Amino acid sequence: MSFNIALLTILDKKESDVKNSGIVLEEKIAELNHNILDKKSIKVNKDGIKEILQNWLKDNKINIIIITGGIELTGDGVVPEILKEIADKDLPTFGEITKKINYTTHAVLAKNKHIFSLPGTKDAVTNICEKVFKYWLNSNYITFMNFNANKKVT
């Protein structure tokens, strides 16, 4: 099953690296035969990022949003903050899977759309796409993640 996906690249200090990770993400998602409905790049700007995400959440054609960049090695950063604010449910299963290949990621469910936040490096994007999304970005996995979702903590 193909999903309709929006891609967001957050440009930070290492702008060329993150820009390249956005290009790699687009290529890898296309290789997996998913539909890329929209893609944007933005410098670290909490309000601007949140606005893009909120607009995509209103778009009934988009099933999944994937973000690269805006997440620090510790798991902190502007994107995790925003995801906490807009999430209906946390999806910890994705983070547990990517931790096994040494990446800190986040995933949430917001307005019935899955949002995945990846580190902003080409290696992280490549490995997550090839080792996780290739096998797990399908309707069975999405159902599994929803089943294992935590309710939003307020």
Side-chain angles (χ1 to χ4, degrees):
M1 174 180 183
S2 292
F3 289 111
N4 294 326
I5 299 177
L7 306 176
L8 180 60
T9 302
I10 311 297
L11 306 171
D12 59 12
K13 297 171 194 160
K14 303 172 197 166
E15 189 170 313
S16 63
D17 288 345
V18 178
K19 200 177 271 187
N20 289 336
S21 71
I23 293 166
V24 170
L25 179 60
E26 182 179 356
E27 291 169 355
K28 293 295 180 186
I29 294 301
E31 285 174 15
L32 296 173
N33 296 315
H34 293 294
N35 307 310
I36 299 171
L37 295 190
D38 200 359
K39 59 182 179 175
K40 296 191 183 314
S41 296
I42 186 171
K43 291 192 180 211
V44 175
N45 171 335
K46 186 175 179 180
D47 293 334
I49 295 166
K50 193 171 180 180
E51 182 180 341
I52 290 168
L53 293 175
Q54 287 174 328
N55 286 335
W56 283 342
L57 290 172
K58 294 175 191 172
D59 187 334
N60 292 329
K61 295 176 190 165
I62 295 173
N63 309 111
I64 294 173
I65 299 167
I66 304 175
I67 305 165
T68 182
I71 183 173
E72 298 171 13
L73 292 175
T74 61
D76 297 323
V78 68
V79 171
E81 281 180 40
I82 294 169
L83 294 181
K84 284 180 188 173
E85 293 173 16
I86 65 172
D88 298 319
K89 293 181 180 178
D90 185 41
L91 302 172
T93 305
F94 180 70
E96 292 165 10
I97 290 169
T98 57
K99 188 177 267 189
K100 290 180 181 182
I101 56 171
N102 298 317
Y103 294 108
T104 300
T105 61
H106 295 277
V108 299
L109 187 65
K111 301 196 186 283
N112 293 318
K113 296 182 192 318
H114 292 80
I115 304 175
F116 299 100
S117 174
L118 315 180
T121 66
K122 290 189 300 184
D123 286 343
V125 168
T126 299
N127 284 322
I128 291 168
C129 286
E130 291 178 356
K131 296 177 181 177
V132 180
F133 286 158
K134 180 177 180 179
Y135 304 101
W136 295 92
L137 196 56
N138 60 53
S139 59
N140 291 332
Y141 176 63
I142 296 300
T143 301
F144 173 76
M145 280 189 23
N146 287 344
F147 180 76
N148 289 295
N150 294 328
K151 291 183 180 177
K152 183 175 182 179
V153 178
T154 55

